[in-house]
Amino acid sequence: MDIKTVTVIGANGTMGCNVSGIFASFGNCKVYMVCRDIISAEAAAIKATKSVKAEAIKVNLIPKSYCDLEECITDSDLIFESVAENLEIKKDVYLKILEFIKPNTIISTGTSGLSINELSECFPIELRSQYVGIHMYNPPYNMSLCEVIPSRVTNETMLNELKLYLKDILNRKVVEVKDAPAFLGNRIGFYFINEALRYADLYKDNGGVDYIDAILGPFTGRSMAPLVTSDFVGLDVHKAIVDNLYYNSKDYARSSFEMPDFATNLIKDNKLGRKSGIGLYKIERQVDGKKSIYVYDVLSDNYRPKEDYVFTFAKNMVRELRIGNYNNAFAVLLNNHSIEAQICTEFLIKYVLYGITAAKEIGESVHSCDDVMASGFDWAPPLSVIEAFGGVYEFKKLAYKHLGNQLEGSFDLNILLEDIPSSNYDYRPFFKAK
Amino acid sequence: MKKVYVLGGAQTDFGRNWSKEGKGIIALLKEVIDDGLKNIGVTYNDIKNLNKEGRIACFVGNFIGEYFVDQGHLGALLTEVNDAFYGVPSARYEAACASGSVALDAGITKIRAGDYDLVLVIGWELMKTVDSKTCGDFLGRAAFYESEAKNIDFPFPKLFGRLADETVKKYNFDNKQYLDCLAKISVKNYNNAKRNPNAQTKKWFMNEEQARERGTATNPTIGGMLGTSDCSQVTDGAAFVALSSEKIIIEFDKVKERCPIVKGWGHRVAPMKFEEKMKESVNNEYIIPWTRQAVMDAYRRANMTVDDIDFFETHDCFTSSEFAAISAFGITEPGKELEAIQSDLTSFNGAKPVNPSGGLIGCGHPVGASGVRMFLDLYKQLTRRALGYQLETANNGMMLNIGGSATTNYTFIVGKDK
């Protein structure tokens, strides 16, 4: 597939800007960065060069405004729409570009949740087969995951060539997923994150937000604790993803996507997280430059200094991980009877089970859950967690032991774990000694 | 003299930052040794049994653990990895960035002499424990610190920047043409690294325009004419290689034809100071004559010429060192390197591929590990285990590992036993 010219519409948004950088660098494409006004397009072009650490790609980045759409679209081999996540706004943009699209130009959207089938219907029948979802993760330079979502009528030859292009030329980890709410990576990731948020509510007497984060810290197979991640992403974005899943997904985990009231209230107060300076956490700089971290206390509806919880199981796991004794670290977790160790174990088991469930439903294969979590979240991939716990047989025993009652009515564990292949990933780098 | 067989080994993913993972030397060593033993089909129990008969030894390559991780006595440190190493002869070998090779050389010698039957060579360095400026200062100990590195920011890029200057002068190159060739070397190695799952830069972007535009915010000049795109990066990592006598091949039921052998080696030490090196090379057609000599020694011992070598792994700590290596290997005459690069002779699909792994610039350069990593890559190519970066033809491969400013020069030729 020869893609020489790309138009990115909404190029001043975080993803529009970063994706422009990816096409202009790895793809060596001429990229029209279309924004509402030329000044923000120029600023976005500078940001895009920084996102791939290469000033040389600047010659490939051409700032444009909506007035230039005709020129850009007629010249493009691929269009990447990256405007606000709103059906009406997207429809409006599509109407503006319709008449200029050449036959064979690929029309793509970076939507992270809207239905690709529904969006494709904005186009006349003869263009629909060229429409496809290309969902990258932020920041794409570090997170190589690229979910590709065809509609019911996407041209199969084009789809296969596009996947090869994204993989071989743009250096992406490509996973084709079905047109389902939030697609695959966010569905599994926000299942875990929202469960953590719900547990923060459930265990508000024990400390809530920072208590749950201390139980699910980097030593459990991620770089960042889950609620720190939510704060980083933004509670509003988090809500958009889980609401979509709550209203539109039908599997056993649906209730896990219900956002607790305290978080919804934070959003109402514009306490969205890192971007608004306050959310689940709040960082204050003292006069001497030192940072003080505060956390939202669910019980008192107030911010208080973040607690440094010392759980014996966590401390001992970190000690073992530091010297590379992975088996000992997992044994520490499984042999500890504290409520915190139980919560941690249950979270990891539920993460694996849901990852497999979602991958079987909308992924290419069971391995898809590993690919999306490793390359989109930098989390220990679900199948690799099974290996960390001693393989499928041991994992199954563990799941029965910990989730026995909860499993009833959800799914048959034997069927779910039948013929589960070994992971293609090494779990060791993901479990941090901290 | 006995034949020395290469059984295989392992390397860690050079993209990892072990400090960020909160892990230290023991975790690093455990991982690479566990993986290496698994790959060669030897257990810790086998090590205990061989040790009872005094048939096994370990050779550790590391440059400067005392600075990076506050630890010396690195041969003995293996006893912290597993109690199978209790009583096993083990010591640390050091020759700056050629530490891995000097450990390999010691191990190879012991097998050739018939002293041991199985030798485990482990090269490692954890460098991301400090910021890049401090790292540069620590590495300055590979030069003559007092006069070449003390109170100088990033001394090594400056020394290899001088090598670039001297190369242009000696062969009367057009400066721009030379620098564009260095940019091509950098891009080749970045591109090769994309195929290597253990490479540090597998997700990074580099193209010729970016590599040519030195002195910009994203490619600042760091040593003379050289930009950061001309440099290998600060890397954490370890590599493991197992060498054996024929006895082990039989005892462990290995297929002899699938175990390559060490065919030749060279080890030459040039004057420590860069200035002295240049003085000495004035009347020599090679810019770094002792590097060339180390190559010639290996050819002589293997009874081979450059025509017999299908691919090379070289020490591209900087693009200027890979440039000089091209003629040192004999791929071209000295002064003709530009043509080799421009015609893609040394590219992945060229007739004489150099650094199919990505080399130090692409794969990464944990200094004490690099020699062992190169040697392992020779093994992988020869046994068709290089996966995504497997070359079509690989019967004999050569490596060049250098310490300091081309001070310690080590070469090995490894090939199929015919």
Side-chain angles (χ1 to χ4, degrees), chain B residues 20-33:
Chain B
K20 272 196 182 163
E21 286 181 32
K23 296 167 195 165
I25 337 165
I26 301 303
L28 176 82
L29 291 171
K30 244 177 217 168
E31 195 161 321
V32 81
I33 295 172

Side-chain angles (χ1 to χ4, degrees), chain A residues 1-245:
Chain A
M1 180 169 276
D2 194 15
I3 295 177
K4 289 198 178 74
T5 309
V6 174
T7 293
V8 176
I9 309 173
N12 54 329
T14 307
M15 285 314 285
C17 173
N18 287 342
V19 170
S20 300
I22 298 290
F23 276 106
S25 58
F26 294 106
N28 195 22
C29 302
K30 175 165 81 176
V31 181
Y32 293 117
M33 297 181 73
V34 179
C35 303
R36 292 253 166 242
D37 59 85
I38 200 83
I39 293 165
S40 37
E42 280 163 0
I46 293 168
K47 259 195 195 167
T49 59
K50 285 187 183 152
S51 74
V52 294
K53 299 173 183 166
E55 272 158 318
I57 66 155
K58 214 176 159 204
V59 292
N60 283 342
L61 299 168
I62 302 153
K64 289 284 180 188
S65 78
Y66 275 73
C67 308
D68 309 311
L69 270 177
E70 179 176 355
E71 172 204 342
C72 303
I73 300 296
T74 40
D75 192 29
S76 288
D77 305 307
L78 185 144
I79 299 157
F80 184 85
E81 169 273 302
S82 190
V83 301
E85 285 287 82
N86 176 305
L87 190 64
E88 292 311 312
I89 295 175
K90 286 191 194 292
K91 264 187 188 167
D92 188 44
V93 167
Y94 295 163
L95 275 175
K96 283 196 178 102
I97 61 170
L98 256 183
E99 57 180 314
F100 311 125
I101 302 172
K102 288 185 298 185
N104 296 332
T105 289
I106 297 166
I107 317 158
S108 69
T109 174
T111 183
S112 54
L114 298 180
S115 160
I116 301 300
N117 278 303
E118 207 175 327
L119 286 169
S120 77
E121 281 159 18
C122 301
F123 291 88
I125 290 172
E126 64 273 18
L127 285 177
R128 268 181 220 170
S129 62
Q130 296 301 112
Y131 190 81
V132 65
I134 297 179
H135 184 222
M136 296 197 200
Y137 280 66
N138 194 33
Y141 193 61
N142 301 329
M143 296 294 179
S144 57
L145 176 60
C146 179
E147 293 176 320
V148 175
I149 313 103
S151 78
R152 276 185 294 266
V153 294
T154 301
N155 179 305
E156 212 166 304
T157 315
M158 180 277 276
L159 177 71
N160 291 332
E161 285 179 18
L162 177 67
K163 280 164 66 181
L164 278 180
Y165 170 81
L166 293 165
K167 172 177 158 281
D168 295 336
I169 309 292
L170 295 196
N171 217 25
R172 305 291 94 195
K173 180 75 202 175
V174 176
V175 180
E176 185 183 324
V177 299
K178 291 202 179 89
D179 185 21
F183 313 129
L184 189 58
N186 278 341
R187 178 157 159 189
I188 302 170
F190 279 87
Y191 164 76
F192 190 94
I193 293 171
N194 202 57
E195 272 288 274
L197 199 62
R198 288 159 54 81
Y199 267 59
D201 197 19
L202 196 63
Y203 287 89
K204 54 180 177 276
D205 295 326
N206 294 30
V209 172
D210 54 347
Y211 171 76
I212 291 299
D213 264 356
I215 293 171
L216 300 171
F219 61 95
T220 68
R222 64 214 72 250
S223 305
M224 233 184 231
L227 299 178
V228 175
T229 306
S230 169
D231 218 46
F232 193 77
V233 170
L235 280 170
D236 52 339
V237 176
H238 173 149
K239 184 172 165 58
I241 294 169
V242 296
D243 279 358
N244 185 8
L245 282 157

Side-chain angles (χ1 to χ4, degrees), chain B residues 183 186-187 206-214 219 229-230:
Chain B
S186 169
V187 173
M206 183 60 65
N207 69 1
E208 276 185 45
E209 289 75 25
Q210 175 67 14
R212 279 201 298 255
E213 281 180 26
R214 299 172 180 91
N219 189 14
S229 61
D230 293 294

